[in-house]
Amino acid sequence: MQSATLSLSSTPLLRHHKNPLTPRPSLVHHRLRSVPVSPFSAVASSSYGLQAHRALVSLPSLPDRRPKDTLAVRATSVPDSAAPGDGPVSSNSNAGGGLMQTLQLGSLFGLWYLFNIYFNIYNKQVLKVFPFPLTITTVQFAVGSSLVLLMWATNLHKRPKISASQLAAILPLAAVHTMGNLFTNMSLGKVAVSFTHTIKAMEPFFSVLLSALFLGEMPTIWVVLSLMPIVGGVALASLTEASFNWAGFWSAMASNVTFQSRNVLSKKVMVKKEESLDNINLFSIITIMSFFLLAPATLFVEGIRVTPSYLQAAGLDLNQLYLRSLIAGLCFHAYQQVSYMILAKVSPVTHSVGNCVKRVVVIVTSVLFFRTPVSPINSLGTGIALAGVFLYSRVKKIKPKSA
């Protein structure tokens, strides 16, 4: 979340300020004989003797301006973590602050993984009995949009001020974000959760490919080598997947392409951020725009299929379906928002490593929960692909040597 902006007022600090260069007439010679009142008086007295007293007394407005200017400059450069009246920070307080930051970051990673696990489990349960990915994705965007509006209405996060030009720049990001989540749900409805996430381990491959094609960012030899186990592992897992079908496979692949296109677009289309448009607000705006983009297509293709009469006619349990859809929608928005919060606190490489670990956790928990049949060769292929993703996240830090 955004850190609160620290503003200092110069009035309390200057209320009891005494002008050191305006002494009382009866004590002028006494003060000149003791210590210089300011650096200006010290230099002047050493060069001109008592004549410096007349020059300094005739400029009473100089010190009135100087402290205010100095205070204004210092106030704008105070770190966010500082507070009014803070003194020198000891090593113990530094250690305590570092421990709190570590605990906070660890909690965010835990929530990221937990929300992702619950989303995949409940979302798969809904897709099994209600195979309408457009409707389900639209419901998830609707739940996320409601949470965003509630967050802004209750001032849990500052509402952004955004211009029409910024909305136009964000629109392509929202379009590919919409398609990426839709393709993911389409894949989850066709194949096992573990297989969908194994295919989505191919994201680094498409990231490198699209960055080279559209941004001219050529990968290093280490990055290329790290992509080989990813491609080989996914191919091996696909050949031995019990739930394999082409619709689920290509939907997951399309999700990879669209999500990585979003990352390329975010670099190519420079979104001019205002002070209130941080990562959380950017994601919130994308969520609302995605709902308005997908809702008309859902009505046209699938119609309205969430009414009680339709669901009862299909023989579905209304309470169970609505509850699981709501939990899936809440977790869908929560895990993506927490992901943006983590990205604001760590480097992209650390976030990529965390995403790799998250995928491992989701695959393992989904296999255990749904009791998905996994052969040894399939497990080997998944392990090789995930190891390649981890290796890719590490070698991304290696910068090519300049000629």
Side-chain angles (χ1 to χ4, degrees), residues 76-360:
T76 57
S77 61
V78 174
D80 292 340
S81 58
D86 283 352
V89 181
S90 62
S91 59
N92 291 333
S93 61
N94 278 334
L99 178 61
M100 289 302 297
Q101 290 180 357
T102 302
L103 292 175
Q104 183 185 24
L105 189 60
S107 301
L108 289 176
F109 270 97
L111 289 174
W112 188 23
Y113 295 172
L114 186 65
F115 287 140
N116 213 291
I117 291 171
Y118 275 98
F119 164 72
N120 281 277
I121 290 176
Y122 281 103
N123 198 38
K124 179 63 176 179
Q125 289 178 335
V126 173
L127 285 165
K128 273 185 175 182
V129 298
F130 189 76
F132 298 100
L134 277 166
T135 300
I136 290 175
T137 309
T138 303
V139 169
Q140 291 167 358
F141 284 134
V143 173
S145 300
S146 302
L147 292 176
V148 168
L149 296 177
L150 179 64
M151 176 183 67
W152 288 342
T154 56
N155 289 326
L156 290 177
H157 196 75
K158 185 178 179 181
R159 186 171 54 188
K161 297 178 181 178
I162 188 167
S163 62
S165 60
Q166 285 179 312
L167 288 176
I170 296 173
L171 182 60
L173 303 179
V176 293
H177 178 78
T178 304
M179 297 302 296
N181 285 286
L182 175 60
F183 284 132
T184 299
N185 281 337
M186 291 173 64
S187 178
L188 288 172
K190 296 294 184 180
V191 296
V193 174
S194 57
F195 185 53
T196 296
H197 283 274
T198 299
I199 301 173
K200 286 176 70 65
M202 286 277 290
E203 284 182 352
F205 172 82
F206 291 101
S207 176
V208 172
L209 178 63
L210 294 175
S211 296
L213 291 176
F214 296 102
L215 300 179
E217 297 178 358
M218 301 308 297
T220 64
I221 184 61
W222 303 111
V223 170
V224 174
L225 291 176
S226 69
L227 296 177
M228 295 175 64
I230 297 177
V231 176
V234 170
L236 185 60
S238 301
L239 291 174
T240 56
E241 173 60 35
S243 65
F244 179 87
N245 65 71
W246 287 108
F249 176 82
W250 287 118
S251 296
M253 282 295 185
S255 174
N256 288 334
V257 174
T258 50
F259 275 134
Q260 296 313 308
S261 299
R262 180 187 61 184
N263 296 340
V264 172
L265 281 173
S266 64
K267 296 179 182 179
K268 196 172 184 63
V269 181
M270 299 301 293
V271 179
K272 183 180 179 183
K273 292 185 179 181
E274 297 179 1
E275 182 181 356
S276 59
L277 189 59
D278 57 2
N279 285 336
I280 300 299
N281 279 329
L282 179 60
F283 169 67
S284 300
I285 293 171
I286 288 176
T287 299
I288 296 175
M289 295 177 73
S290 295
F291 169 73
F292 284 105
L293 288 173
L294 191 60
T298 301
L299 293 175
F300 180 77
V301 176
E302 295 181 352
I304 302 176
R305 299 181 181 271
V306 292
T307 59
S309 58
Y310 177 86
L311 297 177
Q312 287 176 347
L316 300 177
D317 189 333
L318 291 179
N319 294 331
Q320 288 292 330
L321 185 65
Y322 285 153
L323 178 61
R324 291 175 181 177
S325 299
L326 178 61
I327 295 176
L330 292 173
C331 294
F332 170 78
H333 180 79
Y335 90 77
Q336 295 192 70
Q337 185 157 349
V338 172
S339 175
Y340 274 84
M341 294 170 63
I342 293 175
L343 189 58
K345 294 178 178 292
V346 301
S347 66
V349 173
T350 302
H351 188 273
S352 180
V353 173
N355 191 52
C356 176
V357 177
K358 179 211 71 179
R359 206 170 297 285
V360 174

